Amino acid sequence: QVDLVESGGGSVQTGGSLRLSCEASGVTGSSHCIGWFRQAPGKEREGVAAIDIDGTTNYADSVKGRFAISKDSAKNTLYLQMNSLKPEDTAMYYCAAVERLYMDYCVARPEMYNIWGQGTQVTVSS
């Protein structure tokens, strides 16, 4: 059974931090690209960050220097450390995965991913 379960969302003030977690079943960091995505009300889903099987990471320009994606292979868990949060970071955050063989590069393009979690809400107030 393939399943992704996000947690760690919440409400913070501008400048605050949150750490999102994504527990994976049937998906491993050694065979899948795994990424974080977000969708704000009325907006399209966008990629935030992705991590390749070798640990290579890439980020959306809007979060570079503030967010960090990582994975713990022993726990089969993906993380997103979010610092210096801004109101424009407010969104539902999703983790997603796709088998590495389907990707030339492990990038956070939502249309390339076929396994999705249910999401966790992040709200940043000014």
Side-chain angles (χ1 to χ4, degrees):
Q1 181 179 353
V2 176
D3 198 18
L4 300 173
V5 180
E6 302 95 334
S7 61
S11 297
V12 297
Q13 292 188 328
T14 298
S17 298
L18 283 172
R19 188 194 195 202
L20 305 184
S21 299
C22 173
E23 294 186 28
S25 301
V27 170
T28 69
S30 61
S31 61
H32 290 74
C33 289
I34 311 176
W36 286 100
F37 303 82
R38 65 187 182 187
Q39 187 167 19
K43 295 187 176 181
E44 293 187 354
R45 190 169 296 187
E46 63 175 357
V48 174
I51 186 164
D52 208 335
I53 57 177
D54 64 355
T56 302
T57 59
N58 65 81
Y59 297 90
D61 288 343
S62 59
V63 305
K64 282 181 181 177
R66 300 189 298 123
F67 290 12
I69 188 172
S70 62
K71 59 183 177 179
D72 185 328
S73 297
K75 296 181 179 180
N76 219 24
T77 300
L78 180 73
Y79 301 100
L80 185 69
Q81 178 66 45
M82 305 187 295
N83 300 324
S84 302
L85 283 161
K86 305 175 181 179
E88 50 264 44
D89 295 319
T90 294
M92 184 71 78
Y93 282 71
Y94 301 88
C95 67
V98 62
E99 286 192 61
R100 184 60 176 86
L101 61 92
Y102 296 123
M103 301 277 277
D104 291 332
Y105 301 97
C106 195
V107 293
R109 292 177 57 187
E111 67 273 19
M112 302 298 291
Y113 288 71
N114 60 352
I115 304 167
W116 290 85
Q118 84 290 345
T120 186
Q121 178 67 38
V122 171
T123 302
V124 185
S125 57
S126 57

